[in-house]
Amino acid sequence: MTDAEPSTTVVVVTWRGAAHITACLDALAAQSRPHRTLVVDNASDDGTAALLAAHPSKPAVLRLRRNTGYAGAMAAALDKVDTPLMAWLNDDAAPAPDWLATCEDTLAEAPLAAAVSARLTRADGTVQSTGVRLTADGHGADLPESADEVFGFCGGAAVLNVEALRSVGGVPASYFCYYEDTDTAWRLRLAGWDVVSADADVVHRHGASTRPGSVRFHLWNERNRLLTLLRCAPGQVAVRQLVKFALLTAVLPLRGLRRNKKAAAPNFRPSLRCRVLGAVAVRLPRTLVERRAIGRRAALGRGAVWDAWAGN
């Protein structure tokens, strides 16, 4: 590829990102590898639009009429991307100058890989994520240790093969926020693709746009985890985890857990858990249709992927 023909469109999703979007764009402008930048603005009302228009890098901007979350914005961006690769980047992330070059080169050296996850570090230098691991009960969890191959990529900073992404159904826009990366990586693996990690550094102000630990965080997290299992996991695993979630929801009040410290976490509040179950129930018919479509596209069995990665 020549300078006039970049390999990657870097997609930055922002919502009320005035406090940090400029630092993100400055870091992208300093990249050693040419690229296109597309900012998807989720109907920000805090002056973000003016900052985007004034930035010297002049990024392309797709302004949405409403806040569709990270997943919805990435899905909208995918329709606009016409480069072979697409980077996912949080607006509160600042990549090192060689971030994109390292990710592109890592993918080029791994022809069976459809995604590469960068190394996200917090402002204090501690590692937040080098990728996503799959826990024994089906959670997608950040992996802070270095590994050449990971189950999934962290959506905060990753580069994906666009053709592969489209071939597995794109981005689950209805997730709004959280687990869209784990779900996407899982579908790539079912289709026979690998996911790798790269020594490509990105400083991440984790939670600058959302509030980890909040009620909405837990609502989206728990709902989307169950939906991802229903879409991608072996049937018995998905049913077992859904039943386990429902049973725990039912017994929490009987155990009086609302009065202890554990119950202070929103995901242990019966009211929130009931909202999660209701949301999953409403989406169940569509999710089962999606599950069948994922199965038809799969090159590997659901059990094979689960056995290889769950708890490992």
Side-chain angles (χ1 to χ4, degrees), residues 23-84:
C24 178
L25 293 178
D26 288 348
L28 285 178
Q31 291 298 301
S32 62
R33 189 68 56 86
H35 61 279
R36 298 173 186 169
T37 300
L38 172 62
V39 180
V40 185
D41 183 359
N42 264 322
S44 298
D45 55 5
D46 65 341
T48 294
L51 291 173
L52 295 175
H55 198 272
S57 68
K58 300 188 181 304
V61 178
L62 174 61
R63 181 170 172 83
L64 303 182
R65 298 178 63 182
R66 62 183 179 86
N67 184 4
T68 62
Y70 195 73
M74 277 297 172
L78 182 58
D79 292 336
K80 307 294 183 182
V81 171
D82 58 3
T83 51

Side-chain angles (χ1 to χ4, degrees), residues 163-243:
E163 183 178 356
L165 176 57
R166 287 177 174 151
S167 73
V168 298
V171 187
S174 64
Y175 276 27
F176 191 82
C177 197
Y178 302 117
Y179 270 85
E180 65 280 331
D181 49 4
T182 300
D183 180 278
T184 300
W186 205 325
R187 286 179 286 118
L188 287 170
R189 285 208 164 274
L190 285 169
W193 293 98
D194 293 337
V195 180
V196 294
S197 181
D199 293 327
D201 290 313
V202 178
V203 176
H204 185 211
R205 292 176 57 190
H206 184 51
S209 298
T210 59
R211 290 171 47 211
S214 67
V215 170
R216 285 187 176 182
F217 168 86
H218 284 292
L219 177 63
W220 295 327
N221 229 32
E222 298 287 3
R223 180 197 68 185
N224 293 348
R225 177 179 76 92
L226 293 175
L227 291 175
T228 295
L229 289 171
L230 288 167
R231 282 159 54 91
C232 300
Q236 67 271 26
V237 172
V239 171
R240 182 169 65 246
Q241 291 302 320
L242 184 58
V243 170

Side-chain angles (χ1 to χ4, degrees), residues 1-302:
M1 289 289 182
T2 66
D3 286 358
E5 208 174 3
S7 299
T8 303
T9 298
V10 180
V11 178
V12 180
V13 175
T14 191
W15 176 71
R16 297 178 179 174
H20 42 261
I21 189 65
T22 298
C24 178
L25 293 178
D26 288 348
L28 285 178
Q31 291 298 301
S32 62
R33 189 68 56 86
H35 61 279
R36 298 173 186 169
T37 300
L38 172 62
V39 180
V40 185
D41 183 359
N42 264 322
S44 298
D45 55 5
D46 65 341
T48 294
L51 291 173
L52 295 175
H55 198 272
S57 68
K58 300 188 181 304
V61 178
L62 174 61
R63 181 170 172 83
L64 303 182
R65 298 178 63 182
R66 62 183 179 86
N67 184 4
T68 62
Y70 195 73
M74 277 297 172
L78 182 58
D79 292 336
K80 307 294 183 182
V81 171
D82 58 3
T83 51
L85 303 176
M86 171 188 186
W88 295 20
L89 187 67
N90 281 6
D91 64 348
D92 55 1
D98 63 349
W99 161 71
L100 183 57
T102 301
C103 286
E104 287 184 351
D105 292 346
T106 300
L107 273 182
E109 294 165 3
L112 296 181
V116 56
S117 194
R119 179 170 54 215
L120 278 78
T121 60
R122 302 178 182 88
D124 64 3
T126 60
V127 177
Q128 175 197 335
S129 178
T130 63
V132 170
R133 65 185 179 90
L134 184 62
T135 70
D137 57 357
H139 285 82
D142 281 323
L143 178 70
E145 299 85 13
S146 295
D148 291 336
E149 189 173 8
V150 289
F151 172 74
F153 61 91
C154 176
V159 178
L160 285 75
N161 179 304
V162 171
E163 183 178 356
L165 176 57
R166 287 177 174 151
S167 73
V168 298
V171 187
S174 64
Y175 276 27
F176 191 82
C177 197
Y178 302 117
Y179 270 85
E180 65 280 331
D181 49 4
T182 300
D183 180 278
T184 300
W186 205 325
R187 286 179 286 118
L188 287 170
R189 285 208 164 274
L190 285 169
W193 293 98
D194 293 337
V195 180
V196 294
S197 181
D199 293 327
D201 290 313
V202 178
V203 176
H204 185 211
R205 292 176 57 190
H206 184 51
S209 298
T210 59
R211 290 171 47 211
S214 67
V215 170
R216 285 187 176 182
F217 168 86
H218 284 292
L219 177 63
W220 295 327
N221 229 32
E222 298 287 3
R223 180 197 68 185
N224 293 348
R225 177 179 76 92
L226 293 175
L227 291 175
T228 295
L229 289 171
L230 288 167
R231 282 159 54 91
C232 300
Q236 67 271 26
V237 172
V239 171
R240 182 169 65 246
Q241 291 302 320
L242 184 58
V243 170
K244 180 180 177 181
F245 188 92
L247 289 176
L248 182 56
T249 301
V251 303
L252 278 173
L254 300 178
R255 292 182 177 181
L257 290 180
R258 285 175 294 181
R259 292 189 294 273
N260 69 22
K261 292 182 179 179
K262 195 174 186 180
N267 59 324
F268 280 93
R269 296 175 189 170
S271 59
L272 181 140
R273 297 175 71 87
C274 286
R275 288 174 63 190
V276 169
L277 289 169
V280 171
V282 168
R283 290 165 174 77
L284 186 59
R286 176 181 172 182
T287 300
L288 294 179
V289 171
E290 293 167 345
R291 177 183 175 86
R292 286 193 290 271
I294 291 167
R296 287 194 297 269
R297 291 189 292 261
L300 301 176
R302 298 176 192 271

